[in-house]
Amino acid sequence: MSEEPVFIRSKLGTSRYVYNYRNPVGLALIILTPLVALDVLFGMQAESTWSEGELRDAVRKGVQDLGGKRHYTSLEGNHGFLIAEAIRESGIGPGHGVDTREEGGGYTVSTEDTESEYCVRITLTLDEQPPVVFPRAEDRPPPDPGMLAFYLSHATFSKGSCH
């Protein structure tokens, strides 16, 4: 073992300590520290971006989870948020950065990080047994398309955009 200390005072006029390149442990730390830092940065970058396989698996799982799920919504409007939420809740990929565009009777799902696009088609059917039942309440007529009600969702997907 070297007689040199692992850390020495900086010779740049500051009072901070730096690795001592004359000590084998200090030299090893000089070499390993940037390599470990780069590995951590690459790992963080990989966790924050979508891969093609992650998007495919997340869309598949999200569509599967939408099957028979109850939503309080209306028939009118954009339901892309239901798809994006199902993909986020799948637990696959970073969970953010999913783009859903309504086109061609479906929703084209994509991300900035991937080239792939998936067409997700979602249908909503009125839930005949809503979760809240009032005792002695009369049966209400079916809601208008713009009214909020409980609907069950069913979804399918295919590769490519919906147009």
Side-chain angles (χ1 to χ4, degrees), residues 121-136:
R121 299 189 188 281
I122 186 168
T123 56
L124 299 172
T125 56
L126 186 62
D127 187 0
E128 299 297 331
Q129 307 249 339
V132 179
V133 178
F134 297 105
R136 294 187 222 136

Side-chain angles (χ1 to χ4, degrees), residues 2-158:
S2 172
E3 296 290 326
E4 292 281 333
V6 176
F7 299 100
I8 57 172
R9 283 199 187 268
S10 173
K11 295 179 182 174
L12 298 176
T14 63
S15 61
R16 61 185 192 146
Y17 284 86
V18 295
Y19 297 132
N20 183 359
Y21 66 90
R22 292 187 196 107
N23 183 300
V25 174
L27 185 59
L29 289 173
I30 290 170
I31 294 169
L32 291 176
T33 301
L35 296 176
V36 169
L38 283 174
D39 188 45
V40 168
L41 289 174
F42 281 124
M44 288 173 54
Q45 191 270 340
E47 289 293 319
S48 66
T49 57
W50 286 94
S51 71
E52 300 288 337
E54 284 175 334
L55 179 61
R56 179 192 63 241
D57 294 343
V59 168
R60 179 179 292 129
K61 176 103 171 64
V63 164
Q64 180 183 5
D65 292 347
L66 278 173
K69 189 172 182 182
R70 182 179 289 135
H71 304 280
Y72 189 65
T73 186
S74 70
L75 289 178
E76 291 181 347
N78 187 331
H79 294 105
F81 70 94
L82 297 174
I83 297 164
E85 180 182 338
I87 291 171
R88 185 174 38 259
E89 289 177 355
S90 73
I92 301 171
H96 59 80
V98 175
D99 180 40
T100 56
R101 295 182 316 277
E102 187 174 11
E103 57 187 23
Y107 297 89
T108 300
V109 177
S110 62
T111 68
E112 287 184 0
D113 305 324
T114 60
E115 301 277 327
S116 298
E117 292 182 326
Y118 294 91
C119 179
V120 177
R121 299 189 188 281
I122 186 168
T123 56
L124 299 172
T125 56
L126 186 62
D127 187 0
E128 299 297 331
Q129 307 249 339
V132 179
V133 178
F134 297 105
R136 294 187 222 136
E138 295 180 23
D139 289 338
R140 297 186 345 154
D144 292 330
M147 290 177 58
L148 292 175
F150 286 98
Y151 291 93
L152 297 175
S153 62
H154 302 282
T156 60
F157 80 100
S158 60

